[in-house]
Amino acid sequence: MFSGLHEVPGELVEFIKTGSSFIIAGHKEPDGDCVGSQLALRSALFRLNKEAIICAAGPYKRTELQNYINQLVSIPDEVKPDTRVIIIDCSGKERTGELQNSLEKYPCAIIDHHAAVTHPPSSAEAPVYVDASSPSCTLLIYKLICALGLQLSEEEAELLLFGLCTDTGFFRHMTEKNAEAFEAAAKMIQNGASPKKIFSIINGGKSLNSRKLIGILLARTESYFDGRFLVTWETLEEFNTFGMESRDSDSLNQMMLSIKGVEATIVIRQECESNCTVSLRSTDKINVAEIAASFEGGGHKNAAGLSMSGDISFVKQKMLDSFSKAFI
């Protein structure tokens, strides 16, 4: 069924089967793909009679994660000496934020699907399972659960479909190359996952302020390169007015990308006086992951993010300079 995706490395299966206690760590500012992968893998490890905790550094900005974040815990001061780490949805410990120092002393495996990052070499002591052709990390976790000899539970099926729908924009970003992902989604649904429920989790529960803020940001949107590139931003004052729960970059970028002739969009958000975050989206023509990586960010070809020191005007000019090369 998975002829287009990489096989699960045997050393990763052995790493899990021979271990008894695991920390499943996610990247900072986790999304649904990261958290869904962590929770589903923890469930599978429990069924193999393993001990497992899941953790991520946060912050948890996405409303769709609110039902799950109470299951993410801090790394205990004392853990078993034979504990092993599995890092999910990123290239290594340095992407886990404040968790990094706590993870350094443990054997570490990596499961990731990002292409524009450098991963460490794989070994039996530190297996690396990377497949950039996979549209989500949850799809790799699904393959891993199967490789461990397990059938999906209903809980795992729901979590995996949640992550798959998160990273594919509910299949909007899928192409003719992703038949395997639809086959996997069908298996998840057969095992109890509800697309209707997951759509409600991802797209519902937004505040009225979040819709008002989208209107403000749409109204100030600027157009560059003959309408091919759109830029908007949220000020620190607006963040203080509307709050973290009103940040909905996915919906905003989707609206901007739907405009005729647009090939890429960015939303700049002033996080504090000296720093901004940037969400980048594109159609097939622009690889925003490469642009984000040039500023030590990351993501996928059509959806990425980064953090940069400076105010909005400084960051906007940096982005214009960088995107100008893509629009030549």
Side-chain angles (χ1 to χ4, degrees), residues 145-283:
I145 291 173
C146 294
L148 290 168
L150 299 173
Q151 296 290 327
L152 289 184
S153 69
E154 182 176 337
E155 177 190 14
E156 290 158 8
E158 181 177 300
L159 290 165
L160 294 173
L161 188 60
F162 169 64
L164 178 60
C165 290
T166 296
D167 257 26
T168 63
F170 224 96
F171 305 109
R172 293 195 317 274
H173 307 312
M174 306 285 271
T175 72
E176 71 282 356
K177 299 177 182 179
N178 297 126
E180 298 94 338
F182 283 100
E183 292 173 11
K187 290 292 185 181
M188 296 168 196
I189 293 167
Q190 288 170 3
N191 282 279
S194 167
K196 179 179 180 179
K197 178 181 177 181
I198 291 167
F199 185 88
S200 178
I201 291 172
I202 293 174
N203 293 283
K206 309 298 183 184
S207 67
L208 176 58
N209 272 348
S210 72
R211 308 300 94 173
K212 291 180 177 179
L213 183 59
I214 285 176
I216 292 170
L217 270 57
L218 281 174
R220 71 159 59 105
T221 300
E222 296 177 348
S223 175
Y224 296 91
F225 309 116
D226 299 320
R228 298 161 68 192
F229 183 49
L230 298 182
V231 179
T232 192
W233 59 91
E234 177 189 351
T235 67
L236 188 58
E237 180 182 3
E238 286 161 345
F239 169 65
N240 291 332
T241 298
F242 292 99
M244 183 74 75
E245 68 277 3
S246 295
R247 294 185 162 190
D248 189 2
S249 296
D250 291 338
S251 296
L252 177 58
N253 275 303
Q254 184 182 344
M255 292 179 188
M256 294 163 69
L257 277 177
S258 70
I259 297 171
K260 183 177 180 180
V262 173
E263 297 175 9
T265 67
I266 64 168
V267 179
I268 304 169
R269 287 192 155 103
Q270 189 86 47
E271 298 286 339
C272 62
E273 295 292 345
S274 59
N275 195 81
C276 292
T277 58
V278 187
S279 64
L280 305 86
R281 299 292 186 271
S282 73
T283 61

Side-chain angles (χ1 to χ4, degrees), residues 78 183 185 261 328:
E78 295 185 9
E183 292 173 11
I328 294 175

